[in-house]
């Protein structure tokens, strides 16, 4: 469980930070063959997570976002630091449930719109206690 | 200028982040094993349900849906707390964690403290979902006063800044602030000060400081100086946070050795436990933290992790073991650590173990309890003498975990793959 904690995922630099044995400042002579290896570890966090303190992972349940390439069981990277705007896929709370929708603007009204013709858009307003929780920045889909 | 950032109703707010149904509802968080209330949302406070209320007294309200209850979820609280602290680090190079939900920020030399406070009060909830309030003033003790006002007075929108200790509004408030409510004074000292006619914060700060030192103590004199706007408390001599005990210290020399750090953690955990027993308390959870020296130009690492104890406890051996396990999780190779600390969280009054029905059983249990406490006492002495490896006893972790009652626990949304939030696509 520990190795899977978010802290481990989110703080990628720590493990590499002061590995002084790997740093060869202005080396004269032959380059160490090990240098090639130290550079080859790519950290997905660097690619997927821009703001560690505001990023959260969530699991999708359902098929209403199929046409946006978001499927049942997918993993979402959600960043609360990103400003929600029409066109963005967001996590929205509706009547107390966390849902994934596309935020759209139609005739002066914000809508939470599914991406599957079998589902209907929901207005973003106080009558259904809806609000935008965060913006989805990546989908991780297993094949 | 010093700012104190305080998360509003922290545990209840954490529960609300991933469960929007709880927004606006009265929420109570229960101690380990669902014993009693240890944290409340504003709505629950308004219902006059006090801290320490046992579960059975409010279970009916919960069943009727009038209130929501949650078992304490320290994995979640610890993670969100770390995120809040990480954000605060962006605002000042001098951030000192004061408890799981409070931190002091050094704003010395910053252009507009108001603007920084506004940004903090805006950014933290946007990033983490946790609302905060900020009080800023020339000293820690005054920042504490300001933070109280920031939270209590609705018109302030969570911000209260006093540029000077002579701000008329501040003086007005100090004039009404009862002596025992001042940070670090408390009931016992308050009574003694009252005997000398010192009844308010204003009277304390106007008293002769040397007289205070002679008749009371250096800390009382310091508090008076702090109330006058002189910043003279370092984090090591700040009073313990409410319901928490904190023990941390900087190393003489920064170290990366896990052994050194474990030794420090053992020492701090033991000191904290001694304090805990002295005040007849039981801790619910621990928070272990390490940090490098932020004033040096070298790789930085700062981390803290909270963990629930299997039972509310004052048992040094158990707490040391848990603290050292946490340390092993957060320690990273390649950093020179400057400071390590242990905090005991959510302390509740000590209570004897459940007693049996029959008298002879009661006697037996009482004897056991008595023996255990004697043993703890002896253990403290032995550990002091032997040092290093604490004598361990008690339940092993595997045995203990399943015993913990957590009927109302929310998922560990941010620290456990199987429990991350599920979002509906429907």
């Amino acid at each position: 469980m520990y190795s899977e904690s978010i802290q481990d995922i989110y703080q990628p630099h720590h493990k590499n930070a002061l590995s002084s044995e790997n740093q060869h400042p202005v080396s004269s002579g032959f380059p160490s063959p090990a240098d090639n290896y130290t550079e080859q570890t790519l950290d997905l966090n660097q690619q997927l997570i821009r703001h560690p303190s505001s990023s959260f992972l969530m699991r999708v349940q359902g098929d209403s976002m199929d046409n946006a390439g978001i499927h049942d069981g997918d993993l979402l990277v959600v960043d609360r630091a990103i400003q929600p705007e029409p066109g963005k896929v967001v996590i929205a709370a509706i009547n107390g449930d966390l849902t994934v929708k596309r935020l759209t603007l139609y005739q002066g009204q914000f809508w939470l719109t599914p991406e599957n013709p079998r589902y209907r858009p929901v207005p973003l307003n106080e009558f259904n206690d809806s609000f935008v929780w965060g913006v989805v920045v990546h989908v991780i889909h297993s094949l | 200028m010093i700012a104190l950032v305080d998360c509003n109703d922290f545990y209840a707010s954490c529960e609300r982040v991933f469960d929007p149904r709880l927004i606006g509802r009265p929420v109570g968080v229960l101690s380990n094993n669902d014993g009693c209330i240890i944290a409340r949302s504003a709505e629950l406070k308004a219902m006059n349900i006090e801290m320490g209320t046992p579960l059975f007294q409010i279970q009916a309200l919960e069943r009727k849906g009038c209130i929501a209850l949650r078992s304490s979820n320290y994995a979640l609280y610890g993670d969100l707390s770390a995120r809040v602290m990480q954000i605060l680090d962006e605002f000042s190079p001098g951030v000192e964690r004061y408890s799981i939900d409070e931190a002091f920020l050094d704003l010395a030399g910053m252009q507009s403290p108001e603007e920084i406070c506004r940004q903090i009060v805006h950014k933290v909830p946007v990033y983490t979902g946790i609302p905060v309030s900020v009080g800023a003033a020339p000293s820690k003790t005054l920042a504490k006063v300001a933070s109280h006002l920031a939270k209590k007075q609705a018109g302030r929108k969570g911000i209260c800044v006093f540029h000077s200790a002579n701000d008329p509004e501040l003086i007005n408030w100090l004039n009404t602030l009862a002596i025992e409510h001042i940070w670090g004074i408390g009931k016992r000292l308050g009574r003694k000060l009252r005997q000398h006619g010192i009844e308010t914060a204003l009277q304390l700060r106007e008293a002769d400081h040397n007289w205070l030192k002679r008749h009371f103590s250096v800390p009382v004199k310091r508090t008076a100086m702090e109330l006058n706007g002189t910043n003279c408390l370092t984090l090591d001599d700040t009073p313990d946070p409410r319901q928490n005990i904190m023990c941390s210290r900087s190393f003489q020399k920064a170290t990366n050795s896990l052994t050194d750090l474990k030794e420090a953690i053992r020492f701090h955990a033991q000191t904290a436990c001694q304090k805990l027993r002295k005040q007849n308390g039981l801790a619910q959870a621990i928070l272990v933290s390490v940090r490098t020296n932020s004033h040096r130009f070298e790789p930085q690492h700062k981390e803290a992790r909270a963990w629930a104890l299997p039972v509310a406890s004052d048992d040094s051996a158990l707490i040391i073991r848990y603290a050292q396990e946490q340390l092993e999780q957060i320690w990273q190779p390649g950093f020179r650590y400057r400071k390590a600390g242990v905090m005991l969280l959510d302390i509740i009054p000590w209570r004897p173990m459940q007693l049996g029905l029959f008298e002879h059983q009661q006697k037996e249990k009482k004897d056991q309890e008595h023996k255990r406490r004697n043993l703890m006492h002896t253990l403290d002495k032995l550990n002091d003498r032997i040092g290093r490896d604490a004598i361990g006893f008690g339940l092993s972790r595997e045995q203990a975990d399943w015993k913990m009652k957590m009927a109302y626990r929310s998922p560990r949304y941010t620290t456990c793959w199987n429990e991350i939030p599920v979002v509906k696509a429907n």
Side-chain angles (χ1 to χ4, degrees), chain B residues 30-46:
Chain B
L30 299 165
S31 62
N32 282 350
N33 290 305
D34 295 344
C36 61
I37 294 276
I38 54 162
R40 303 166 296 165
S41 73
E43 297 80 2
L44 198 70
K45 289 175 193 166

Side-chain angles (χ1 to χ4, degrees), chain B residues 27-86:
Chain B
V27 180
V29 175
L30 299 165
S31 62
N32 282 350
N33 290 305
D34 295 344
C36 61
I37 294 276
I38 54 162
R40 303 166 296 165
S41 73
E43 297 80 2
L44 198 70
K45 289 175 193 166
M47 290 171 72
N48 292 322
I49 294 174
E50 296 302 322
M51 292 287 271
T53 306
L55 172 62
F56 71 86
Q57 284 183 13
I58 45 176
Q59 224 160 4
L61 279 173
E62 195 269 338
R63 287 207 195 96
K64 276 188 264 172
C66 303
I67 61 173
L69 295 175
R70 289 290 179 268
S71 306
S72 39
N73 183 348
Y74 288 100
L76 176 67
Y77 311 152
D79 177 65
L80 289 173
S81 164
R83 288 164 186 263
V84 171
M85 298 297 159
Q86 209 175 339

Side-chain angles (χ1 to χ4, degrees), chain A:
Chain A
M1 178 182 40
Y2 292 121
S3 59
E4 291 174 349
S5 89
I6 289 258
Q7 271 148 346
D8 294 343
I9 304 168
Y10 280 172
Q11 290 168 14
H13 306 297
H14 296 158
K15 286 192 183 104
N16 323 351
L18 185 92
S19 34
S20 52
E21 60 275 20
N22 294 336
Q23 293 167 0
H24 295 273
V26 204
S27 62
S28 53
F30 298 106
S32 159
D35 283 350
N36 294 332
Y37 291 100
T38 54
E39 278 174 28
Q40 272 170 8
T41 315
L42 293 180
D43 189 340
L44 268 179
N45 292 300
Q46 288 178 350
Q47 193 67 26
L48 300 181
I49 290 164
R50 232 173 86 199
H51 306 108
S53 54
S54 61
S55 296
F56 297 88
L57 298 174
M58 297 189 169
R59 183 81 63 188
V60 178
Q61 192 179 69
D63 59 359
S64 74
M65 292 299 282
D66 275 6
N67 291 348
I70 298 172
H71 302 281
D72 192 53
D74 284 359
L75 198 61
L76 303 178
V77 180
V78 181
D79 190 346
R80 292 178 60 104
I82 308 282
Q83 178 82 24
E85 283 164 16
K88 290 201 158 131
V89 174
V90 298
I91 300 298
I94 306 175
N95 291 320
D97 281 327
L98 292 177
T99 66
V100 51
K101 308 272 182 196
R102 193 180 294 283
L103 183 66
T104 52
L105 183 61
Y106 180 70
Q107 293 186 339
Q109 159 78 49
F110 282 109
W111 294 81
L112 298 165
T113 311
E115 292 266 358
N116 180 333
R118 292 196 293 115
Y119 297 88
R120 309 184 66 141
V122 177
L124 181 73
N125 61 29
E126 65 274 22
F127 297 112
N128 54 19
D129 281 331
S130 58
F131 64 90
V132 174
W133 192 97
V135 173
V136 178
V137 287
H138 293 285
V139 187
I140 301 168
H141 177 77
S142 295
L143 296 175

